[in-house]
Amino acid sequence: EPEVTQTPSHQVTQMGQEVILRCVPISNHLYFYWYRQILGQKVEFLVSFYNNEISEKSEIFDDQFSVERPDGSNFTLKIRSTKLEDSAMYFCASSDRDSVYEQYFGPGTRLTVT
Amino acid sequence: DQQVKQNSPSLSVQEGRISILNCDYTNSMFDYFLWYKKYPAEGPTFLISISSIKDKNEDGRFTVFLNKSAKHLSLHIVPSQPGDSAVYFCAASEANFGNEKLTFGTGTRLTIIP
C-alpha cells in the first residue's frame, strides 16, 4: 500500500542552525501538508501546498519557515534559524484530488533543538 | 483555541465490547470530520470520515456518528480488539477549496483490556 515517507526520523540541531525536513508524498497525490506536534500537545497545521504554491499557512508558519517541491517526488520543510520552541514531531501529509480532506500522514521527524 | 475537543483523555474497554470515543466542536463552518488512530512513534493513520450531509458512516468495525445540531461526533468500534489500543484523534475541516487544513482534538488514549 502506498505510504508517505519522511527523513530523517530524528534530527538534532543547535539553536540558530538551519534544518531541512524531507518528505516523499504518495505518488499520485496533489495536495501536500506539514503539521507539527509539540510533546503533550495537539497536532497543529503549519502549511498546505498545491499546484506548486502555498494555499494556506498558519500563524506558526512565519518567515523562518519555507516549503518547496524541488522535483516530482520530494516535499521539504526548511526552518532557517531554529529556536528551542521548534522542538516537535513534524508530520508530512498528502491527499488526492478526489478526497482532499482525507490526508495520509508520514511517520514524522522528531526535531530536537538544543 | 479549542475548536475541536476530546474531553476524555483516556478510555479503557474490555476486549469484545464496544468502544465509544467522543468529540465536540465549536466552529460551525466545519463541514468534514475525520478520525485518526496513532501509535507511539508513528504518524496518524486515517480511519474513517464523514461529511456534514450525513449522520452516519460505517466501515467494518468502525462507525462514525455526526450530530450537527449538537456539534458532536462519536466513533464506535465494535467489537474492540487489543490492536485497537492507541490514541484516537478527531479532526475537522471547513472543506473549502484553498482551505484544506485539519484541526485536531487533543486525543483519547484507548486501552483494550484482554
Side-chain angles (χ1 to χ4, degrees):
Chain A
E1 188 172 325
E3 57 183 20
V4 176
T5 59
Q6 291 185 243
T7 54
S9 56
H10 191 190
Q11 173 91 48
V12 181
T13 190
Q14 288 194 324
M15 197 167 51
Q17 295 296 302
E18 175 183 286
V19 293
I20 298 176
L21 310 183
R22 301 179 195 278
C23 168
V24 179
I26 294 173
S27 62
N28 62 337
H29 283 185
L30 300 176
Y31 297 81
F32 313 111
Y33 314 86
W34 284 100
Y35 290 81
R36 78 173 186 191
Q37 186 179 28
I38 295 171
L39 189 63
Q41 298 186 23
K42 59 171 69 177
V43 176
E44 301 174 286
F45 169 79
L46 291 178
V47 65
S48 58
F49 191 86
Y50 170 71
N51 201 24
N52 280 320
E53 59 183 31
I54 291 173
S55 49
E56 189 181 5
K57 58 184 181 180
S58 71
E59 293 172 355
I60 304 166
F61 195 88
D62 62 21
D63 292 345
Q64 293 299 313
F65 291 87
S66 62
V67 289
E68 196 177 29
R69 188 153 163 83
D71 52 42
S73 59
N74 291 283
F75 180 51
T76 62
L77 174 70
K78 183 194 291 187
I79 310 175
R80 261 179 271 284
S81 177
T82 49
K83 307 191 231 355
L84 293 176
E85 54 265 37
D86 293 328
S87 295
M89 280 291 287
Y90 286 80
F91 296 107
C92 173
S94 67
S95 59
D96 68 22
R97 189 198 306 272
D98 294 330
S99 46
V100 172
Y101 312 106
E102 292 171 9
Q103 298 173 17
Y104 290 83
F105 284 74
T109 293
R110 178 171 298 285
L111 177 65
T112 303
V113 182
T114 61
Chain B
D1 178 15
Q2 292 237 32
Q3 296 187 70
V4 179
K5 300 179 205 179
Q6 294 176 256
N7 291 319
S8 300
S10 62
L11 175 68
S12 294
V13 174
Q14 289 279 348
E15 181 179 358
R17 297 288 192 97
I18 183 170
S19 296
I20 300 176
L21 297 104
N22 293 302
C23 178
D24 297 293
Y25 62 96
T26 56
N27 184 348
S28 56
M29 300 298 290
F30 284 147
D31 221 22
Y32 201 85
F33 305 88
L34 308 94
W35 284 94
Y36 283 84
K37 171 181 178 179
K38 188 179 180 303
Y39 294 118
E42 293 186 14
T45 300
F46 170 71
L47 272 180
I48 191 168
S49 62
I50 187 166
S51 162
S52 62
I53 61 172
K54 293 185 173 183
D55 55 16
K56 177 181 173 182
N57 189 24
E58 197 169 348
D59 183 2
R61 296 186 298 115
F62 302 92
T63 304
V64 56
F65 294 92
L66 175 63
N67 182 335
K68 218 176 165 197
S69 61
K71 294 193 176 70
H72 177 84
L73 64 156
S74 60
L75 174 69
H76 292 210
I77 307 173
V78 57
S80 300
Q81 298 173 353
D84 296 330
S85 294
V87 178
Y88 288 78
F89 292 96
C90 169
S93 172
E94 293 186 17
N96 293 322
F97 180 73
N99 181 1
E100 301 89 15
K101 74 176 183 190
L102 298 181
T103 301
F104 282 82
T106 48
T108 297
R109 180 177 303 279
L110 175 66
T111 302
I112 304 302
I113 305 162

